Amino acid sequence: MAAIDTLPPARDIPNAFISSVKSWWSVGEKQAAISEQRLLRRLPFFSSSTDTSTISGSHPVIATSTRVDLDTPKQYVNTVSITPTTPSPHSVPPTVLLHGYGAGLGFYFRNFPALANWAGRRGTSIYAIDWLGMGRSARVPFSVRARRDDIPGRVHEAESFFIDSLEEWRSKMGLQKMTLVGHSLGAYFSVVYALRYPDRVSRLILLSPAGVPRGPNYTQLSRELTDEGSGAPATDGSRKTSKSTFESATKKQVDEIREEQQENKRQESRTRKLFTYLWEEGWSPFQVVRATMFWGPMLIGKYSTRRFSGLSEDETKDMHDYIMNITLAKGSGEYCICA
């Protein structure tokens, strides 16, 4: 898309049906690009064109936005590059930011200044990408061909949709190694990528990673230290022989837990039951919002005003417009939850 010289201000967040209809009518790829540009142009070192001479020489980095075409026709990865004006020959491998489920690189606009400062000092580059099928990357059809009861096969296919495109993007960018910074689902995919391509990963930084049941500070002791007769050494060097603090659950206790779970399920509201059913059938939250059509922007507005209450009024409006456009875009990578 050609660079846009002047950006119109974001609309007010709709709080009535008529304004929601007007917002819904304006949604599209062009508006999505504009909404992303609003966020990126808040960065003093961002260049909205290929002419980077407009950036002040006082900035140690330059940020640009582009689409990286993949080998498959009509597939591309939306990319923001933050590159140092004076690269260091001894710099650490570049860092790649990977967003979470249904999000986009625009969510990082408040983090870019600090990251850019680090990149300038280290003489290395930072990249932020939209996963294929999310954000402003290509919204290509997403499907899983494995049988419904073949869970490992379905998971592998869903993972490959994202991991293969990330590896192809890396190759197109000419990166030998990367430090991956993943948030939520992006952190999960970062680990999957590292397992498949360990030679391409320098470091992993996982932020609120999906798929991790407990945090690293979980302090429950291992049964090797608590079971009677385990032979594990105590802190004073003697052998630990005290009884375990864990007890096997009896059949009665298991039955009581199951009954409690069933009772909780029976008491669920009809709305919750509906959303649970849709989730289990592979409907995404974004698909539900799109199904509301004219009410969609107003629903997204309720989320935006609460989720980003710490931003300024203008920043919140810009974020809302960005989220609205990537949420109401054609469904694609979001359907990975059906795997």
Side-chain angles (χ1 to χ4, degrees):
M1 179 178 175
I4 304 171
D5 294 330
T6 304
L7 300 178
R11 293 174 178 268
D12 289 336
I13 298 176
N15 56 10
F17 178 71
I18 296 300
S19 57
S20 186
V21 171
K22 292 180 179 179
S23 292
W24 180 85
W25 194 262
S26 70
V27 167
E29 172 53 33
K30 181 178 180 180
Q31 188 61 33
I34 291 174
S35 66
E36 184 180 89
Q37 283 282 310
R38 287 198 198 97
L39 297 174
L40 295 177
R41 290 191 188 186
R42 291 181 174 275
L43 308 175
F45 48 86
F46 177 73
S47 174
S48 58
S49 67
T50 55
D51 180 14
T52 58
S53 61
T54 57
I55 303 298
S56 170
S58 62
H59 294 291
V61 298
I62 294 176
T64 56
S65 176
T66 187
R67 287 179 173 179
V68 177
D69 292 325
L70 305 182
D71 290 335
T72 303
K74 298 183 179 180
Q75 288 196 8
Y76 54 84
V77 173
N78 188 40
T79 305
V80 164
S81 305
I82 301 177
T83 54
T85 54
T86 308
S88 170
H90 308 294
S91 65
V92 296
T95 296
V96 181
L97 305 180
L98 302 169
H99 64 76
Y101 178 72
L105 60 83
F107 279 65
Y108 291 115
F109 85 96
R110 275 285 196 98
N111 305 107
F112 285 145
L115 293 169
N117 181 54
W118 175 83
R121 287 188 288 105
R122 299 300 296 269
T124 190
S125 297
I126 292 178
Y127 302 95
I129 70 170
D130 286 335
W131 287 108
L132 183 66
M134 296 186 190
R136 291 190 56 245
S137 287
R139 297 297 184 110
V140 298
F142 179 93
S143 62
V144 174
R145 295 183 177 86
R147 299 190 313 273
R148 193 175 184 85
D149 60 347
D150 181 11
I151 302 301
R154 296 179 67 83
V155 170
H156 182 79
E157 279 192 56
E159 292 173 345
S160 297
F161 178 87
F162 301 99
I163 303 309
D164 292 351
S165 62
L166 175 59
E167 170 59 10
E168 190 174 341
W169 174 87
R170 179 206 61 78
S171 178
K172 295 286 185 181
M173 297 295 290
L175 308 181
Q176 295 303 310
K177 278 199 169 188
M178 309 176 288
T179 291
L180 300 181
V181 180
H183 172 248
S184 188
L185 187 65
Y188 172 88
F189 287 143
S190 297
V191 174
V192 177
Y193 179 89
L195 292 173
R196 294 193 191 181
Y197 302 99
D199 294 339
R200 298 302 184 186
V201 178
S202 174
R203 290 180 176 85
L204 278 177
I205 300 176
L206 310 180
L207 309 175
S208 300
V212 178
R214 298 189 181 98
N217 297 323
Y218 187 71
T219 56
Q220 181 170 302
L221 296 177
S222 167
R223 292 191 62 180
E224 293 180 353
L225 300 179
T226 57
D227 279 0
E228 181 179 5
S230 65
T235 54
D236 60 359
S238 62
R239 309 306 289 182
K240 186 174 180 65
T241 58
S242 61
K243 290 186 177 181
S244 170
T245 57
F246 296 89
E247 295 181 1
S248 299
T250 64
K251 183 178 183 303
K252 180 181 178 181
Q253 290 173 321
V254 172
D255 290 341
E256 288 176 350
I257 292 173
R258 287 177 175 171
E259 177 59 31
E260 182 181 356
Q261 291 173 338
Q262 291 296 324
E263 181 60 26
N264 290 337
K265 192 170 184 178
R266 285 192 291 269
Q267 293 180 1
E268 285 183 349
S269 65
R270 290 182 178 179
T271 301
R272 184 176 180 84
K273 287 180 179 179
L274 174 61
F275 279 109
T276 300
Y277 170 78
L278 293 175
W279 179 271
E280 292 175 348
E281 290 299 312
W283 278 61
S284 77
F286 310 100
Q287 189 176 5
V288 174
V289 173
R290 286 194 296 270
T292 65
M293 296 184 66
F294 305 127
W295 284 271
M298 193 160 53
L299 292 176
I300 297 169
K302 293 182 181 297
Y303 165 80
S304 301
T305 52
R306 294 177 183 176
R307 177 66 178 81
F308 301 103
S309 59
L311 301 181
S312 69
E313 182 179 353
D314 286 342
E315 287 175 329
T316 302
K317 289 198 298 184
D318 289 350
M319 275 300 298
H320 164 76
D321 197 49
Y322 174 73
I323 294 171
M324 179 180 67
N325 276 277
I326 64 174
T327 297
L328 299 182
K330 177 184 176 182
S332 177
E334 69 195 60
Y335 296 126
C336 64
I337 62 170
C338 71

